[in-house]
Amino acid sequence: MTAANGDDPDPPLDAPFGPIVARFDLAFDEVLDHLRGHPVPDLVFVTASKLGDWSVLWHLIGAARGLTSDPRATEAFRLSAVLGIESLVVNHGVKRLFRRTRPHTDDRPIPGLRSPTTSSFPSGHASAAFCAATVLSAGRRSTAPAWFALAGIVALSRPYLRLHHGSDMVAGAALGTAIGLVARRVWRLHARP
C-alpha cells in the first residue's frame, strides 16, 4: 500500500535488513509470481527443493562420480565432508545469529516437501548448492557452467516455493561459494609437497 504522502510502500512486517532488501525481496517475489502455477516450473522447482534437502542431490552426484575412479572416489569423500562442514556453519552457526521469519503464505503445504523450522536467513539449500558447485567445478572449466546452473535451480527453488526470501537465496549462494573456495584452497595447500 502506498503512503498518502507519496513515500515508498510500507516494507513488509519482516524487514530486518532494511527497506532496500525488503524492496528487493518483494520485487523478486513478483517476478517469480509470473512462473508459479505453471506445470513445468512447478515440477522442476519442487523436485529440486526435495533433492536439495540434506544435500542429497550433491551426495548422490559425488557418489556416482566416485564410482568411476579412485581419484573421483577421494573427491566424493571430500565433497561430502565439505558439505557437512557447510551445513554446520550455516544451519548451526549463521542461522542462529539471525531470527528471520520465512515468507508469509496462505498456500497449502506441498505434499512431500519438508517444512523448515530454522531461520530463513540464509538459505541452506542455496549455500549447499553453490558450495557443491564450487567444489565440483575445481579445475574443470568445461563442466563448471552445468554445476552452477544446477546449483542455481536448487537455490531458486526455495524462494519460488516461498520457503525463503530472495535475499536469503543470494546470501546463501555467496556464503556457499566462499566455503567452497576455502575448501579448494585448503586442498591445494595440502597437495603441495
Side-chain angles (χ1 to χ4, degrees), residues 82-97 122 127 175 179:
V82 170
L83 288 170
I85 292 167
E86 175 275 332
S87 180
L88 285 173
V89 169
V90 174
N91 296 307
H92 300 287
V94 179
K95 279 183 179 277
R96 291 178 186 234
L97 299 174
S127 178
L175 182 57
I179 293 170

Short mmCIF file of all heavy atoms in Angstrom, two decimals, residues 82-97 122 127 175 179:
data_model
loop_
_atom_site.label_atom_id
_atom_site.label_comp_id
_atom_site.label_asym_id
_atom_site.label_seq_id
_atom_site.Cartn_x
_atom_site.Cartn_y
_atom_site.Cartn_z
N VAL A 82 33.02 -31.56 3.01
CA VAL A 82 32.83 -30.11 2.92
C VAL A 82 31.36 -29.75 3.11
O VAL A 82 31.04 -28.77 3.78
CB VAL A 82 33.36 -29.57 1.57
CG1 VAL A 82 32.94 -28.12 1.35
CG2 VAL A 82 34.87 -29.69 1.53
N LEU A 83 30.46 -30.54 2.53
CA LEU A 83 29.03 -30.27 2.71
C LEU A 83 28.62 -30.44 4.17
O LEU A 83 27.74 -29.73 4.66
CB LEU A 83 28.20 -31.16 1.80
CG LEU A 83 28.25 -30.79 0.31
CD1 LEU A 83 27.60 -31.87 -0.54
CD2 LEU A 83 27.60 -29.43 0.07
N GLY A 84 29.24 -31.36 4.87
CA GLY A 84 28.97 -31.49 6.30
C GLY A 84 29.42 -30.26 7.08
O GLY A 84 28.70 -29.77 7.95
N ILE A 85 30.61 -29.78 6.75
CA ILE A 85 31.12 -28.55 7.39
C ILE A 85 30.23 -27.36 7.03
O ILE A 85 29.87 -26.56 7.90
CB ILE A 85 32.58 -28.30 6.99
CG1 ILE A 85 33.47 -29.39 7.59
CG2 ILE A 85 33.04 -26.91 7.42
CD1 ILE A 85 34.87 -29.43 7.02
N GLU A 86 29.87 -27.25 5.75
CA GLU A 86 28.98 -26.16 5.31
C GLU A 86 27.68 -26.19 6.08
O GLU A 86 27.18 -25.15 6.52
CB GLU A 86 28.73 -26.29 3.79
CG GLU A 86 27.74 -25.30 3.22
CD GLU A 86 26.30 -25.75 3.35
OE1 GLU A 86 26.04 -26.97 3.39
OE2 GLU A 86 25.42 -24.86 3.44
N SER A 87 27.11 -27.36 6.26
CA SER A 87 25.84 -27.48 6.99
C SER A 87 25.99 -27.02 8.44
O SER A 87 25.12 -26.31 8.96
CB SER A 87 25.34 -28.92 6.94
OG SER A 87 24.12 -29.04 7.64
N LEU A 88 27.08 -27.42 9.07
CA LEU A 88 27.32 -26.97 10.45
C LEU A 88 27.47 -25.46 10.52
O LEU A 88 26.87 -24.80 11.40
CB LEU A 88 28.57 -27.64 11.02
CG LEU A 88 28.44 -29.10 11.40
CD1 LEU A 88 29.81 -29.67 11.78
CD2 LEU A 88 27.47 -29.26 12.56
N VAL A 89 28.25 -24.90 9.61
CA VAL A 89 28.47 -23.44 9.61
C VAL A 89 27.17 -22.69 9.38
O VAL A 89 26.85 -21.74 10.11
CB VAL A 89 29.52 -23.06 8.53
CG1 VAL A 89 29.57 -21.55 8.32
CG2 VAL A 89 30.90 -23.59 8.92
N VAL A 90 26.41 -23.12 8.38
CA VAL A 90 25.20 -22.38 8.01
C VAL A 90 24.03 -22.67 8.95
O VAL A 90 23.44 -21.76 9.52
CB VAL A 90 24.80 -22.68 6.54
CG1 VAL A 90 23.46 -22.03 6.20
CG2 VAL A 90 25.88 -22.19 5.60
N ASN A 91 23.71 -23.95 9.11
CA ASN A 91 22.49 -24.31 9.85
C ASN A 91 22.64 -24.24 11.36
O ASN A 91 21.66 -23.96 12.06
CB ASN A 91 22.02 -25.71 9.43
CG ASN A 91 21.61 -25.75 7.99
OD1 ASN A 91 20.79 -24.95 7.55
ND2 ASN A 91 22.19 -26.65 7.22
N HIS A 92 23.84 -24.47 11.85
CA HIS A 92 24.02 -24.44 13.31
C HIS A 92 24.88 -23.26 13.75
O HIS A 92 25.18 -23.13 14.93
CB HIS A 92 24.63 -25.76 13.78
CG HIS A 92 23.77 -26.93 13.46
ND1 HIS A 92 22.60 -27.21 14.13
CD2 HIS A 92 23.89 -27.89 12.50
CE1 HIS A 92 22.03 -28.28 13.61
NE2 HIS A 92 22.79 -28.72 12.62
N GLY A 93 25.27 -22.45 12.81
CA GLY A 93 26.07 -21.27 13.12
C GLY A 93 25.39 -19.99 12.68
O GLY A 93 24.75 -19.30 13.47
N VAL A 94 25.47 -19.71 11.38
CA VAL A 94 24.98 -18.43 10.85
C VAL A 94 23.48 -18.26 11.09
O VAL A 94 23.03 -17.19 11.52
CB VAL A 94 25.32 -18.29 9.35
CG1 VAL A 94 24.77 -16.99 8.80
CG2 VAL A 94 26.82 -18.39 9.13
N LYS A 95 22.69 -19.29 10.83
CA LYS A 95 21.24 -19.18 11.01
C LYS A 95 20.87 -18.81 12.45
O LYS A 95 19.87 -18.14 12.68
CB LYS A 95 20.53 -20.47 10.60
CG LYS A 95 20.33 -20.62 9.11
CD LYS A 95 19.57 -21.90 8.81
CE LYS A 95 19.32 -22.09 7.35
NZ LYS A 95 18.16 -21.36 6.86
N ARG A 96 21.67 -19.25 13.40
CA ARG A 96 21.37 -18.95 14.81
C ARG A 96 21.64 -17.49 15.17
O ARG A 96 21.18 -17.01 16.19
CB ARG A 96 22.15 -19.88 15.72
CG ARG A 96 21.64 -21.31 15.62
CD ARG A 96 22.44 -22.25 16.48
NE ARG A 96 22.00 -23.61 16.22
CZ ARG A 96 21.59 -24.44 17.16
NH1 ARG A 96 21.57 -24.06 18.41
NH2 ARG A 96 21.22 -25.66 16.84
N LEU A 97 22.40 -16.81 14.30
CA LEU A 97 22.66 -15.39 14.53
C LEU A 97 21.50 -14.52 14.07
O LEU A 97 21.39 -13.36 14.46
CB LEU A 97 23.93 -14.96 13.78
CG LEU A 97 25.22 -15.66 14.17
CD1 LEU A 97 26.35 -15.23 13.23
CD2 LEU A 97 25.56 -15.37 15.62
N PRO A 122 20.55 -17.46 6.26
CA PRO A 122 20.49 -17.54 4.81
C PRO A 122 19.89 -18.86 4.37
O PRO A 122 19.64 -19.73 5.19
CB PRO A 122 21.97 -17.46 4.41
CG PRO A 122 22.67 -18.17 5.54
CD PRO A 122 21.88 -17.84 6.78
N SER A 127 23.18 -22.30 -0.10
CA SER A 127 24.56 -22.40 0.37
C SER A 127 25.17 -23.74 -0.02
O SER A 127 26.27 -23.80 -0.57
CB SER A 127 24.60 -22.20 1.88
OG SER A 127 25.91 -22.34 2.36
N LEU A 175 27.63 -17.29 0.50
CA LEU A 175 28.29 -17.99 1.60
C LEU A 175 28.77 -19.37 1.16
O LEU A 175 29.90 -19.78 1.46
CB LEU A 175 27.32 -18.11 2.78
CG LEU A 175 27.85 -18.77 4.05
CD1 LEU A 175 29.09 -18.07 4.58
CD2 LEU A 175 26.75 -18.79 5.12
N ILE A 179 32.64 -20.81 1.09
CA ILE A 179 33.06 -22.04 1.78
C ILE A 179 33.72 -23.00 0.78
O ILE A 179 34.75 -23.61 1.07
CB ILE A 179 31.87 -22.70 2.50
CG1 ILE A 179 31.40 -21.81 3.66
CG2 ILE A 179 32.25 -24.10 3.01
CD1 ILE A 179 30.08 -22.24 4.28
#
